[in-house]
Amino acid sequence: MNEKNNAKSQKYPYLVVVGAGLFGLTVAQQAVEHTGARVEIIDVRNHIGGNAYSYFDESTGIEIHKYGAHLFHTSNKRVWDYVNRFTSFTNYVHRVYATHDGEVYPLPINLGTINQFFHAHYTPEEAKALIASQAGELAGKDPQNLNDKGISLIGRPLYEAFIKNYTAKQWQTDPSELPAGIIKRLPVRFNYNNRYFKDTWEGLPTDGYTAWMQRMIDDPRIHVSLGVDFFDESQPFNKRALAEAGVPVVYTGPVDRYFDYKLGELKWRTVDFKEVRYEESDHFGCPVMNYSDADVPFTRAIEFKNFNPEREEVEGVAGETSGEADFVPGKSVKAGETVVWQEYSRAATREDEPYYPVNTEEDKALYARYAELAAAELNTVFGGRLGTYSYYDMHNVIDMALRAYETQVAPLLK
Ligand code: FAD
Ligand code: UDP
């Protein structure tokens, strides 16, 4: 190494990762494991974990997923083996219920939903025939939008009960103007299986999301700086300084922001959470209650406690008398109280947390132009959901980060 490079390596680590979400953490972990490189992770937020971050509510010990409910599921063996190096998982199996017209139904739409809705006792074959005849109004057509796709999957009555209004609340757009792809995640089942995911493995990290992610970067060669914005030139790990010093960067922030929005803004939707506390041990009897009708303004409500039924309920207070809480965060929760978050979806401004890419044809075309600019940044690897303007689940992001490390990041570290 010549003197110049030597000086460079003293001032800067070998790799800077922008964003302490699962993409950034996975790349950082891999870089250290395979090359021994020193890695600096920066995040503008004051915690690691990105959108998968969770914390334990002070007064109840309930684990709250700060950016919305996160359920881990995957059929990818490599990802499953990888995540199990850092955490074990509970045997939680995701199930969702929906309130429609004063009744509670199981989701995804299955034989139980169909029979309850039609007050019937159809067999699987009878239900198939019924739905086929109801979906028949669009027979032979390739559904081009969410409205048509919904009707062709489940027929108009079920579509109007469970999909139409929920989707309109979620996207604030007429379903006939939304891409059909949005509801491919919601299958119809002609049996009573109401498991939400079809993946081989699912569960929640036993000690919580944040403990899992902390273990990923528990290495003296990884340093994390929180509350640090990549675009703030008053801090050393900023875009301009790192480019000038030739330090490789993995960038997981919004791709349009990286280029100062010079081609225009990519559209996102965000969610506002409204917290409601109940002096009850269990409010819904399940972790997720969707609200299918237009008269309830929120899309769904999450009762976090019910994600972790394995955590014991203990009587007592939250450190009010002895100074020490009677519950142990991650192991037990306070009895007689529960925390519910209602979700209200709306269009995101630059100041909001970007959650769901809107992904209209116009957005896709704009992203393609940003992707070209990104490809020309030879010392920067763009990744994660913000860096690639995509809706990915956690297992997708980890898989992509493992592959991006091998194909894009490792060559930069040589
Ligand atoms: P992020 O987690 O968003 O991390 C990016 C990080 O970059 C952030 O921490 C951000 O602060 C930081 N950053 C951005 N700009 C800058 C900057 N200028 N300087 C410094 N740092 C910056 N997945 C599932 O598998 N199961 C689920 O049930 C599930 N539920 C979800 C529910 C909601 C409401 C949402 C929004 C997502 C859900 N996901 C779920 C998806 C999951 O959150 C993502 O797959 C995963 O968190 C993405 O990781 P990431 O590293 O790409 O991005
Ligand atoms: N959806 C719906 N009714 C429901 C649940 C979902 O119509 O009760 C539709 C809606 O269009 C939503 C999409 O299915 O945007 C995906 O929902 P899912 O719950 O799978 O995804 P998430 O919102 O958790 O990302």
Side-chain angles (χ1 to χ4, degrees):
M1 196 180 274
N2 64 32
E3 254 179 45
K4 193 166 158 237
N5 277 341
N6 210 1
K8 206 195 289 175
S9 66
Q10 281 170 9
K11 182 165 177 206
Y12 287 114
Y14 292 101
L15 176 68
V16 172
V17 172
V18 182
L22 277 167
F23 192 95
L25 299 180
T26 304
V27 170
Q29 189 280 331
Q30 289 288 288
V32 166
E33 184 162 285
H34 294 293
T35 69
R38 255 183 335 120
V39 178
E40 177 76 27
I41 305 177
I42 64 167
D43 202 298
V44 68
R45 291 174 174 166
N46 61 5
H47 58 73
I48 66 155
N51 280 359
Y53 167 79
S54 71
Y55 61 89
F56 294 103
D57 176 58
E58 245 178 61
S59 69
T60 60
I62 295 170
E63 183 178 352
I64 311 270
H65 306 180
K66 182 170 180 184
Y67 302 95
H70 277 66
L71 303 317
F72 189 81
H73 55 99
T74 187
S75 295
N76 182 323
K77 174 92 168 63
R78 185 185 186 199
V79 169
W80 182 241
D81 289 344
Y82 180 72
V83 297
N84 273 277
R85 289 175 55 190
F86 310 105
T87 181
S88 56
F89 286 83
T90 67
N91 56 11
Y92 175 77
V93 174
H94 195 43
R95 291 198 165 83
V96 175
Y97 292 84
T99 298
H100 163 65
D101 203 11
E103 273 184 62
V104 175
Y105 293 85
L107 285 185
I109 294 171
N110 62 71
L111 197 51
T113 326
I114 294 170
N115 276 333
Q116 185 180 347
F117 185 78
F118 293 108
H119 306 290
H121 49 89
Y122 295 124
T123 63
E125 286 312 314
E126 288 166 345
K128 265 184 218 167
L130 174 80
I131 300 301
S133 76
Q134 292 182 341
E137 64 176 282
L138 291 177
K141 289 200 190 136
D142 183 19
Q144 294 299 318
N145 61 59
L146 194 150
N147 187 71
D148 292 359
K149 172 90 175 176
I151 294 172
S152 68
L153 273 175
I154 55 175
R156 192 176 286 275
L158 288 167
Y159 167 76
E160 291 190 344
F162 296 105
I163 309 292
K164 188 178 163 190
N165 295 315
Y166 186 99
T167 300
K169 286 193 281 186
Q170 172 85 356
W171 296 92
Q172 289 168 333
T173 303
D174 191 298
S176 61
E177 285 167 28
L178 288 169
I182 291 178
I183 54 167
K184 69 172 183 295
R185 285 156 59 113
L186 266 184
V188 188
R189 303 202 184 118
F190 294 101
N191 58 31
Y192 291 94
N193 174 12
N194 72 330
R195 224 188 112 173
Y196 205 74
F197 301 120
K198 285 187 297 190
D199 281 316
T200 315
W201 298 284
E202 74 176 286
L204 293 168
T206 310
D207 320 312
Y209 277 95
T210 305
W212 159 19
M213 294 186 285
Q214 257 157 1
R215 280 184 216 117
M216 291 176 73
I217 51 167
D218 182 17
D219 188 299
R221 292 163 293 185
I222 299 179
H223 185 259
V224 184
S225 299
L226 297 174
V228 172
D229 185 346
F230 184 54
F231 301 103
D232 171 5
E233 295 194 355
S234 70
Q235 59 82 19
F237 303 107
N238 70 76
K239 180 183 170 192
R240 185 195 300 269
L242 295 173
E244 280 169 9
V247 177
V249 169
V250 171
Y251 176 79
T252 71
V255 60
D256 50 357
R257 171 67 187 95
Y258 184 94
F259 295 105
D260 210 13
Y261 305 105
K262 69 179 174 191
L263 303 177
E265 261 178 78
L266 291 164
K267 290 196 292 300
W268 291 86
R269 296 194 63 76
T270 193
V271 177
D272 294 322
F273 301 106
K274 185 176 167 211
E275 183 173 287
V276 188
R277 286 174 185 256
Y278 296 93
E279 299 214 338
E280 300 167 34
S281 268
D282 194 355
H283 184 67
F284 288 121
C286 64
V288 181
M289 181 61 75
N290 287 7
Y291 286 88
S292 315
D293 300 336
D295 57 348
V296 176
F298 49 93
T299 50
R300 61 186 176 193
I302 309 294
E303 185 168 6
F304 288 103
K305 191 184 201 179
N306 290 338
F307 284 132
N308 298 103
E310 77 287 354
R311 292 180 188 159
E312 194 197 350
E313 284 210 64
V314 293
E315 300 293 337
V317 291
E320 283 152 19
T321 46
S322 61
E324 281 196 21
D326 293 305
F327 54 79
V328 181
K331 301 232 177 311
S332 51
V333 292
K334 188 176 170 191
E337 276 186 40
T338 191
V339 180
V340 168
W341 279 21
Q342 299 166 347
E343 298 189 5
Y344 297 77
S345 166
R346 64 174 170 81
T349 67
R350 272 188 205 177
E351 282 67 47
D352 294 314
E353 296 293 350
Y355 283 159
Y356 298 97
V358 176
N359 253 335
T360 58
E361 292 307 315
E362 200 186 317
D363 289 309
K364 284 184 203 159
L366 180 57
Y367 172 64
R369 293 175 62 213
Y370 275 120
E372 272 177 35
L373 293 182
E377 296 282 293
L378 298 181
N379 232 8
T380 304
V381 173
F382 292 76
R385 46 176 218 105
L386 300 166
T388 59
Y389 189 62
S390 305
Y391 188 88
Y392 290 125
D393 277 328
M394 294 179 279
H395 64 103
N396 303 122
V397 161
I398 294 166
D399 179 41
M400 289 170 59
L402 291 171
R403 287 187 286 120
Y405 172 74
E406 287 161 357
T407 58
Q408 293 173 272
V409 182
L412 292 178
L413 300 179
K414 285 217 169 96

